[in-house]
Amino acid sequence: VVGTALYNFTEGYGTYLIPAVLIVIMFQTLLMVIGMISGEERDSGTIVRFASEGLSFGRIARVIISKTFVYCVLYTIFALFLLFGLPDIGNYLNTLILLIPFLLATSFFGLAASYFFTDSEAPLLMIAFFSVGLIFLSGVSYPLELMPWYWQMAHYIIPAAPATLAYVQLNSMGASIEQVGVEYVTLWVQCVVYFLLACWVYRRNILKASRALSSL
């Protein structure tokens, strides 16, 4: 009897683990960058400059969108060098289509998580700790269906988890974008939810920094 691993006939890391790890790396490094910048803004008080034109939802939304645009452009270039050199049987266009909601959701998630970042060092310690957990949470190394319900819920909350599972299916298993529809829709829902949450968090952080400066 000769066993052949499905979708990984060479039984190598290049087609099994590396694609998942690279998505997690992109997620964590982008979160670290956002966390360090946001923490520095709060620590130095420079975040109050965003209040110069008021704190309406439209004004805060423009700030969030502007920041996200810069992060996404930089990480799109990063992804071209990181992801498209891998051995794959998927379609490059499908990968690009997946990267759009993934980068948006990650950026909005990071800006929303800036609620917890009060300096530029804390994100490095908080985010790097969850590296291995994100691989398991994605459902790549352990079946998602066998996880307890609370871990399955966490899978749909953190952008890296559905993005990793979808990318492995696209890259290593030759799936179409329709076949990863659940993960794809999940990422877009996360974009909407985390965008609104990021707007609320940034407005709150600006107000808190303004009160701290006025009390000096």
Side-chain angles (χ1 to χ4, degrees), residues 13-175:
Y13 284 108
T15 50
Y16 165 60
L17 188 61
I18 297 302
V21 170
L22 291 183
I23 293 294
V24 172
I25 288 174
M26 289 181 60
F27 174 76
Q28 288 193 297
T29 54
L30 181 53
L31 240 62
M32 287 179 183
V33 169
I34 295 173
M36 292 173 66
I37 293 175
S38 301
E40 176 62 26
E41 287 177 342
R42 294 183 64 184
D43 188 37
S44 63
T46 55
I47 193 172
V48 298
R49 69 182 185 273
F50 297 123
S52 59
E53 298 180 16
L55 293 175
S56 64
F57 175 79
R59 167 59 178 166
I60 300 299
R62 288 196 299 272
V63 171
I64 297 299
I65 292 172
S66 299
K67 285 176 169 287
T68 299
F69 176 78
V70 175
Y71 296 139
C72 287
V73 168
L74 292 176
Y75 265 73
T76 298
I77 299 173
F78 181 41
L80 292 177
F81 289 97
L82 194 66
L83 300 179
F84 291 97
L86 293 175
D88 65 86
I89 59 174
N91 187 299
Y92 287 152
L93 180 59
N94 288 339
T95 301
L96 288 173
I97 292 173
L98 177 68
L99 282 177
I100 294 172
F102 167 60
L103 292 177
L104 288 173
T106 302
S107 297
F108 294 145
F109 179 80
L111 291 169
S114 65
Y115 178 89
F116 303 101
F117 302 144
T118 56
D119 57 66
S120 59
E121 288 82 18
L124 296 176
L125 301 176
M126 294 176 65
I127 297 170
F129 178 76
F130 298 101
S131 302
V132 177
L134 288 173
I135 296 293
F136 282 93
L137 196 62
S138 68
V140 172
S141 59
Y142 189 82
L144 184 63
E145 294 78 11
L146 298 182
M147 296 182 187
W149 65 269
Y150 45 86
W151 289 123
Q152 293 187 35
M153 288 184 61
H155 170 89
Y156 293 102
I157 292 174
I158 302 176
T164 299
L165 184 58
Y167 178 67
V168 169
Q169 292 174 344
L170 291 175
N171 178 80
S172 304
M173 303 171 70

